[in-house]
Amino acid sequence: EAMNRWRPGLAMAGLRYLVLTVPLAWAGVTIANRLGYEALYGLIGGLLVTAALSSTVFALWLRASLREY
């Protein structure tokens, strides 16, 4: 879990839940409403973008950490 380090896990959780989820979910709902779609579709889209971004950042971080060993 978190490569026996607490910081990567905590940082990724903070990034995902505090920094990305709320703004991107709100943006998705806003965009969906403007395009005439249901808000739920925008919410799902925002959450998918959040997952993709945080997973990409974590994968890059993991790759860099593994190069150290």
Side-chain angles (χ1 to χ4, degrees), residues 29-62:
V29 168
T30 302
I31 292 169
N33 284 333
R34 287 186 183 171
L35 295 175
Y37 293 106
E38 292 185 33
L40 178 63
Y41 295 131
L43 179 64
I44 291 170
L47 295 177
L48 286 172
V49 170
T50 298
L53 284 174
S54 61
S55 295
T56 301
V57 169
F58 186 70
L60 294 173
W61 191 350
L62 179 62

